[in-house]
């Protein structure tokens, strides 16, 4: 029987190494499931930060989410016995990649919450996450010289078409140009963060400590926003609950799940699957915040759902379109190689 906890904490990036077609099928579906779970949790962030009488300033929401998320991910790394991998990674030549990931995470937090404040939860989230798969696919194609798979192109086109329908004006609230631009910046930052994680995966690094390191760096960048911000929203228990949900659940738990999913889900497909986040945000905005949903918006949700279904459909012969290299296929210098964990556990 396959151990679910062992899969999440393990470093086996190739499903075939787990033994047989049945495990490949299970690993593929589990990877898809945890990425989708992360996207759904992310979809609650904008709504939580916009609740009436509790809503924190955008900069405060970004800062507290980054700092508390970093603390949660560090604790998860320690609990998984991967602290040595984290410290070795921060001392080694991978630091430049981690700095890029930290800047991307910090930029995403600030740009996203500001966009949500200016444009509303539904529109800000739709633009941010709708642009991420496009940016990720283009950047990956340019850097690797390999075009995305036809299945990815079909799924992403379908989902982005749905996003375009969700962007149509409702007549209730005019779209703020600055908010739209910041949402697109957030999408590009998230795509960059995902591609950095994919790079670390290809080099054999553990993705949980990689995520913790990225969030730790972003927390340093975002901490001045806490020091000089307005903390009045934290004076009520509801405000504290919002901060904890943003940091521990939509950041710590969600990004840990995303890192686990990226062990078996290629980055282009994972970015397409994160379009479940704007679907969640639109539905929550409709149900909790009273944001309107037009017939074209409903059609957009259906198209996005169709694109997600195409993205998560198992590939033929249970092979991903971008399988990780087999162990030892890419040389890694001894100085940059993360130490093996004790007890035979790969993390």
């Amino acid at each position: 029987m396959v151990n679910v906890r062992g899969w999440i904490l393990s470093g086996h990036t190739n499903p075939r190494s787990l033994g047989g077609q049945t495990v490949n099928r299970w690993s593929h579906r589990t990877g898809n499931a945890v990425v989708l779970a992360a996207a759904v949790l992310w979809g609650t962030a904008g709504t939580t930060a916009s609740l009436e009488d509790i809503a924190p300033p955008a900069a405060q929401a970004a800062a507290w989410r980054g700092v508390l998320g970093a603390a949660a991910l560090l604790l998860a790394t320690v609990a998984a016995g991967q602290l040595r991998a984290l410290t070795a990674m921060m001392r080694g030549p991978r630091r430049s990649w981690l700095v890029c990931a930290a800047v991307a995470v910090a930029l995403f937090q600030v740009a996203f919450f500001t966009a949500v404040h200016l444009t509303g939860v539904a529109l800000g989230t739709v633009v941010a996450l709708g642009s991420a798969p496009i940016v990720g696919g283009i950047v990956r194609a340019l850097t690797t010289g390999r075009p995305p798979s036809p299945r990815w192109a079909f799924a992403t086109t379908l989902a982005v078409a749905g996003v375009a329908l969700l962007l149509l004006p409702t007549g209730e609230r005019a779209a703020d140009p600055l908010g739209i631009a910041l949402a697109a910046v957030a999408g590009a930052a998230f795509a960059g963060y995902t591609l950095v994680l994919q790079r670390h995966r290809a080099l054999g690094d553990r993705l949980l400590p990689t995520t913790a390191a990225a969030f730790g760096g972003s927390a340093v960048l975002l901490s001045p926003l806490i020091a000089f911000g307005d903390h009045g929203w934290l004076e009520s228990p509801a405000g504290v609950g919002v901060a904890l949900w943003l940091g521990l659940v939509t950041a710590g738990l969600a990004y840990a799940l995303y890192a686990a999913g990226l062990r078996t889900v290629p980055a282009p497909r994972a970015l397409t699957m994160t379009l479940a986040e704007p679907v969640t945000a639109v539905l929550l905005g409709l149900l909790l915040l009273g944001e309107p949903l037009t017939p074209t918006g409903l059609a957009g949700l259906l198209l996005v759902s169709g694109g997600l279904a195409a993205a998560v459909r198992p590939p033929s012969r249970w092979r991903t379109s971008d399988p990780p290299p087999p162990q030892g296929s890419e040389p890694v210098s001894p100085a940059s190689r993360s130490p093996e964990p004790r007890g035979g556990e790969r993390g």
Side-chain angles (χ1 to χ4, degrees), residues 145-208:
R146 292 180 296 169
S149 68
R151 185 168 69 112
W152 175 89
F154 172 76
T156 302
T157 300
L158 198 63
V160 171
V163 167
L165 290 179
L166 289 169
L167 284 174
L168 292 179
T170 63
E172 298 285 337
R173 180 175 188 176
D176 185 286
L178 177 59
I180 296 295
L182 287 174
V185 169
F190 183 78
Y193 164 77
T194 299
L195 293 174
V196 169
L197 284 192
Q198 186 84 353
R199 174 65 176 170
H200 277 269
R201 186 192 79 161
L203 294 175
D205 290 338
R206 305 167 181 84
L207 294 189
L208 178 58

